[in-house]
Amino acid sequence: MPAPDLVTAELTLTGRLTTASNATFLGSIGDAAVVYKPIAGEKPLWDFPDGCLAHREVAAYLVSEVLGWNIVPRTWLRDGRFGEGMVQLWQETDPEQTAVDLVPADDVPDTGWKEILQGQDENGRIVSLIHEDTPALRRMAVFDVLVNNADRKGDHILAMADGHRYGVDHGLTFHSDHKLRTVLWGWIGDELSAEEFEGVDRVLAGLDGELGSQLAKLLTAEEVAALAARCARLRSAGLFPAPSGDMPAVPWPLF
């Protein structure tokens, strides 16, 4: 849980992210820079009719914490100028790094990267969507499978100066139906590592304890049960899944 001052101290708004699809503000709480997404500024979605996006963002943070991989920046619910909403600690990225990229198809690196798909750019050139082949992104891919992330765009992965990678924008998660849309498909069929298995096991155990109690306040009972089922399926298969169903495997736009 966040420190009391992050919940009760004044949240001052300093700007707005106008490119976001829902109302998203930059702000500060004391010395802490934050992102504030009020529930009142959310646009209704036909395929996510239950609850609110802010609750799903906080639920994603709670699962990230139990996994122990620090994927989602600290996220909590509190009041702000436009009512209750999600607040998340702002992360200053390294502009010299990128975890996901579009490159000319003949410039895909031989090592350290995974090619996901090819397409044409606005000039008719063949380009490849690629992402890093790193433990940090593998862990994020596991996380996305568990929370059923329907919107893992390239810009939703924050590249930090120390090499860490944060995932943000988790409003479209935890649906009880299969919704996985992601740019992180580079490990299809690969076996989970021991560390990745241990993370899944921690979530399964947590659902029978404190994590389950916390999520019950944020998600429907059906959504919590579906999370447990996804954990069990991934644990049983032991492999990174492939796309399935009729829905697109990647979000649009990709970034």
Side-chain angles (χ1 to χ4, degrees):
M1 294 295 292
D5 60 324
L6 292 178
V7 176
T8 60
E10 182 180 4
L11 169 55
T12 302
L13 301 188
T14 58
R16 181 170 183 176
L17 297 178
T18 57
T19 57
S21 55
N22 295 282
T24 303
F25 299 90
L26 302 178
S28 62
I29 304 173
D31 294 332
V34 299
V35 176
Y36 164 54
K37 298 180 182 180
I39 294 171
E42 297 178 3
K43 296 179 180 178
L45 298 173
W46 68 268
D47 55 343
F48 280 81
D50 297 314
C52 58
L53 306 187
H55 285 183
R56 297 177 189 279
E57 295 237 35
V58 175
Y61 168 72
L62 294 174
V63 171
S64 169
E65 287 295 282
V66 172
L67 282 169
W69 300 335
N70 194 28
I71 293 170
V72 182
R74 195 173 187 176
T75 309
W76 64 100
L77 292 172
R78 63 156 288 167
D79 285 332
R81 182 183 300 178
F82 302 108
E84 186 179 54
M86 179 224 79
V87 178
Q88 185 175 83
L89 291 181
W90 175 262
Q91 305 299 319
E92 199 63 48
T93 60
D94 181 356
E96 300 301 318
Q97 296 189 46
T98 183
V100 182
D101 205 357
L102 280 173
V103 299
D106 54 1
D107 286 345
V108 176
D110 293 330
T111 60
W113 292 80
K114 296 283 191 177
E115 185 179 29
I116 307 307
L117 55 83
Q118 289 188 352
Q120 289 185 333
D121 67 11
E122 63 274 13
N123 297 313
R125 295 173 298 190
I126 303 300
V127 295
S128 294
L129 176 68
I130 62 174
H131 66 64
E132 295 175 327
D133 183 11
T134 61
L137 280 201
R138 276 182 59 113
R139 292 191 292 267
M140 192 178 297
V142 171
F143 166 80
D144 284 343
V145 172
L146 297 185
V147 304
N148 199 16
N149 193 351
D151 196 33
R152 176 62 73 203
K153 294 181 172 70
D155 285 346
H156 294 174
I157 301 169
L158 307 184
M160 310 306 292
D162 62 358
H164 186 70
R165 302 300 185 243
Y166 281 114
V168 296
D169 288 315
H170 296 116
L172 301 186
T173 48
F174 295 105
H175 202 290
S176 56
D177 295 335
H178 175 72
K179 294 281 187 179
L180 185 61
R181 290 190 294 264
T182 176
V183 295
L184 301 180
W185 287 114
W187 303 281
I188 293 173
D190 287 4
E191 293 185 1
L192 269 64
S193 68
E195 179 191 21
E196 291 157 355
F197 272 119
E198 291 167 1
V200 177
D201 287 341
R202 284 192 291 271
V203 175
L204 273 171
L207 288 173
D208 289 328
E210 184 178 2
L211 176 63
S213 298
Q214 292 173 320
L215 294 181
K217 301 174 184 177
L218 301 167
L219 307 171
T220 68
E222 184 181 17
E223 288 167 340
V224 176
L227 168 60
R230 289 191 297 272
C231 290
R233 284 196 300 270
L234 184 60
R235 187 67 176 81
S236 177
L239 305 172
F240 281 87
S244 61
D246 297 328
M247 61 182 290
V250 296
W252 190 259
L254 296 172
F255 291 87

